[in-house]
Protein backbone atom coordinates (compact mmCIF):
# COMPACT_ATOMS: atom_id res chain seq x y z
CA UNK A 1 0.00 0.00 0.00
CA UNK A 2 1.09 3.53 -0.69
CA UNK A 3 0.14 5.90 2.15
CA UNK A 4 0.04 9.62 1.31
CA UNK A 5 1.08 10.71 4.83
CA UNK A 6 3.43 9.31 7.44
CA UNK A 7 2.84 10.00 11.15
CA UNK A 8 5.65 9.08 13.49
CA UNK A 9 5.70 9.18 17.29
CA UNK A 10 7.34 12.62 17.36
CA UNK A 11 4.54 14.14 15.30
CA UNK A 12 1.90 12.57 17.55
CA UNK A 13 3.62 13.97 20.63
CA UNK A 14 3.83 17.40 19.00
CA UNK A 15 0.10 17.33 18.19
CA UNK A 16 -0.73 16.28 21.75
CA UNK A 17 1.49 19.04 23.19
CA UNK A 18 -0.15 21.64 20.94
CA UNK A 19 -3.63 20.49 22.02
CA UNK A 20 -2.72 20.66 25.72
CA UNK A 21 -1.11 24.10 25.29
CA UNK A 22 -4.17 25.38 23.44
CA UNK A 23 -6.47 24.15 26.19
CA UNK A 24 -4.31 25.68 28.94
CA UNK A 25 -4.08 28.96 27.04
CA UNK A 26 -7.84 29.06 26.60
CA UNK A 27 -8.46 28.43 30.31
CA UNK A 28 -6.03 31.17 31.40
CA UNK A 29 -7.41 33.62 28.83
CA UNK A 30 -10.99 32.83 29.89
CA UNK A 31 -10.24 33.34 33.60
CA UNK A 32 -8.51 36.66 32.87
CA UNK A 33 -11.35 37.94 30.70
CA UNK A 34 -13.96 36.93 33.29
CA UNK A 35 -11.96 38.68 36.05
CA UNK A 36 -11.72 41.87 33.99
CA UNK A 37 -15.44 41.84 33.23
CA UNK A 38 -16.29 41.24 36.90
CA UNK A 39 -14.01 44.14 37.79
CA UNK A 40 -15.88 46.42 35.39
CA UNK A 41 -19.22 45.36 36.83
CA UNK A 42 -18.03 45.64 40.42
CA UNK A 43 -18.57 41.97 41.18
CA UNK A 44 -15.11 41.22 42.58
CA UNK A 45 -14.90 39.43 45.91
CA UNK A 46 -13.47 41.38 48.82
CA UNK A 47 -10.22 40.03 50.22
CA UNK A 48 -10.27 38.91 53.83
CA UNK A 49 -7.91 40.44 56.35
CA UNK A 50 -6.44 37.03 57.15
CA UNK A 51 -3.44 37.49 54.93
CA UNK A 52 -0.24 35.50 55.17
CA UNK A 53 1.56 37.94 57.46
CA UNK A 54 -0.53 40.63 59.11
CA UNK A 55 1.94 41.39 61.91
CA UNK A 56 2.78 44.77 60.37
CA UNK A 57 -0.78 45.94 61.05
CA UNK A 58 -0.54 45.43 64.81
CA UNK A 59 0.53 48.30 67.01
CA UNK A 60 3.14 47.06 69.57
CA UNK A 61 2.17 49.75 72.09
CA UNK A 62 -1.54 48.86 72.22
CA UNK A 63 -1.59 45.05 72.59
Amino acid sequence: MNYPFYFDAGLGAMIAQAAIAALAGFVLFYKTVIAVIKGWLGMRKEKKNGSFDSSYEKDPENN
Side-chain angles (χ1 to χ4, degrees), residues 27-63:
V27 168
L28 291 175
F29 177 75
Y30 177 76
K31 288 177 76 173
T32 303
V33 169
I34 294 298
V36 168
I37 292 172
K38 283 184 178 182
W40 287 342
L41 298 176
M43 297 172 53
R44 270 193 259 183
K45 293 181 181 177
E46 295 293 327
K47 292 184 179 180
K48 294 181 180 178
N49 290 335
S51 62
F52 178 71
D53 184 18
S54 61
S55 61
Y56 64 90
E57 296 174 1
K58 297 177 184 172
D59 188 10
E61 295 177 3
N62 297 325
N63 283 341

